Amino acid sequence: QVQLVESGGGVVLPGGSLRLSCAASGSIYNINPMYWYRQAPGKEREFVATIGGGSSTNYADSVKGRFTISKDNAKNTVYLQMNSLKPEDTAVYYCKIIVLGITYWGQGTQVTVSS
């Protein structure tokens, strides 16, 4: 049984930082790629970042230069370091993996950027 558990969300002032974590459990190893998505109220879920084999990364234009995705293969964990946060970054953040053609999502963690 594959499970993803996100953590690290919260309320932060504009310009602040947060670090999200997503731990994958189950009989899976060296998961590649791993993804972060987000969904703001009233909007579609959107891609944020991905990290693949060799730690190659890709980001949505809206977060480039502010967010950094990384992973710890030994812990089956992916991270999202978010700096210079803006109110428009407010959303529920989800991690995603695909194992043997099956897509798994975490339960999400709320990030609120507000003064």
Side-chain angles (χ1 to χ4, degrees):
Q1 180 90 13
V2 175
Q3 286 190 315
L4 300 173
V5 178
E6 298 104 334
S7 61
V11 180
V12 63
L13 293 172
S17 297
L18 283 174
R19 188 191 193 211
L20 306 183
S21 300
C22 173
S25 62
S27 299
I28 47 177
Y29 305 94
N30 292 327
I31 308 161
N32 287 303
M34 301 182 80
Y35 304 85
W36 284 101
Y37 282 71
R38 67 186 181 186
Q39 188 166 18
K43 294 189 176 181
E44 298 282 323
R45 192 170 297 188
E46 65 176 5
F47 167 79
V48 174
T50 187
I51 185 165
S55 295
S56 60
T57 59
N58 192 28
Y59 298 91
D61 287 343
S62 59
V63 306
K64 277 181 184 175
R66 300 188 297 122
F67 290 10
T68 302
I69 188 171
S70 61
K71 62 177 177 170
D72 184 333
N73 287 328
K75 296 181 180 180
N76 275 346
T77 299
V78 63
Y79 305 96
L80 188 67
Q81 177 66 43
M82 306 186 294
N83 299 328
S84 302
L85 283 161
K86 305 175 181 179
E88 52 263 44
D89 294 318
T90 295
V92 178
Y93 284 71
Y94 300 89
C95 62
K96 183 185 90 170
I97 61 172
I98 302 173
V99 179
L100 298 177
I102 300 173
T103 299
Y104 297 90
W105 293 92
Q107 84 287 352
T109 185
Q110 176 71 47
V111 172
T112 302
V113 184
S114 175
S115 55

